[in-house]
Amino acid sequence: MAFEELLEDPVIQKYLHELVGPTGMPVAAAPPDGEVTDEELAEELGMELNDVRRALFILYENDLASYRRLRDEDSGWLTYLWTFEYENIPERLEEEMHRLLDALTEREDYERNNEFYLCEQDSIRFEFGEAMEFGFQCPNCGAELNSMSNERLVDAMEHRIAELREELRVPEEAEA
Ligand SMILES: [Zn+2]
């Protein structure tokens, strides 16, 4: 798939944005064909060299860019020639989604298997055990702690988990 096509995908845009942040996004969103130096990118994008380098290094750490070093024989200066490896994006993205699915599944278990109490004054949530220890009174403001349903949160998580499973073709877990 061509890089341009990849970059039109909003999921991929979001993924890159989360990796490099808003400052690094111009670098991540404009992968050149072939090699480029950090100085060339900084000039082309009108960015600080340090910001360009930070973004390139994040891409490098995530296997989305590589570099080779050239030493100028006269000056001894090192030049870094960068290549964007965006053909790795789909694989990296899938790994991220598996990680998210694991985290969500674990979180959903926790939400399902616990009862929660709320201080409506402070919008602080307590687990049942904590609430009991505090005598069902908020330790912060003294208000009564009320039993709180997390059904909507669990539903939303369940929905997102189902979506991810479908996208990743992970079969539904057998219910015990
Ligand atoms: Zn309170």
Side-chain angles (χ1 to χ4, degrees), residues 13 49 74 83 90 102 120 131 150 159:
Q13 282 175 19
L49 189 53
D74 298 325
T83 306
D102 288 348
E120 280 165 29
N150 63 352
H159 184 73

Side-chain angles (χ1 to χ4, degrees), residues 40-119:
E40 282 167 354
L41 275 178
E43 198 179 311
E44 197 179 307
L45 300 168
M47 287 175 64
E48 298 286 339
L49 189 53
N50 275 339
D51 291 336
V52 171
R53 285 183 176 153
R54 195 171 302 125
L56 286 170
F57 190 70
I58 293 169
L59 294 174
Y60 168 76
E61 281 186 314
N62 286 278
D63 291 331
L64 300 180
S66 62
Y67 65 81
R68 61 190 182 94
R69 287 185 304 194
L70 283 185
R71 190 183 290 278
D72 186 290
E73 286 183 10
D74 298 325
S75 68
W77 284 102
L78 284 174
T79 303
Y80 289 79
L81 286 164
W82 289 86
T83 306
F84 285 65
E85 314 267 7
Y86 276 14
E87 61 277 9
N88 293 336
I89 286 183
E91 198 186 321
R92 301 292 310 177
L93 199 57
E94 200 177 312
E95 284 171 22
E96 288 297 316
M97 284 164 71
H98 276 288
R99 218 167 292 157
L100 179 62
L101 178 58
D102 288 348
L104 265 176
T105 307
E106 203 172 297
R107 184 65 201 265
E108 196 211 359
D109 265 7
Y110 167 77
E111 291 291 332
R112 263 185 201 291
N113 294 317
N114 282 283
E115 262 180 76
F116 297 97
Y117 283 76
L118 179 73
C119 167

Side-chain angles (χ1 to χ4, degrees), residues 153-171:
L153 181 62
V154 171
D155 281 351
M157 286 180 162
E158 216 170 69
H159 184 73
R160 186 71 186 113
I161 287 169
E163 277 179 351
L164 281 167
R165 282 202 179 125
E166 197 179 305
E167 248 174 291
L168 292 167
R169 294 161 207 268
V170 175

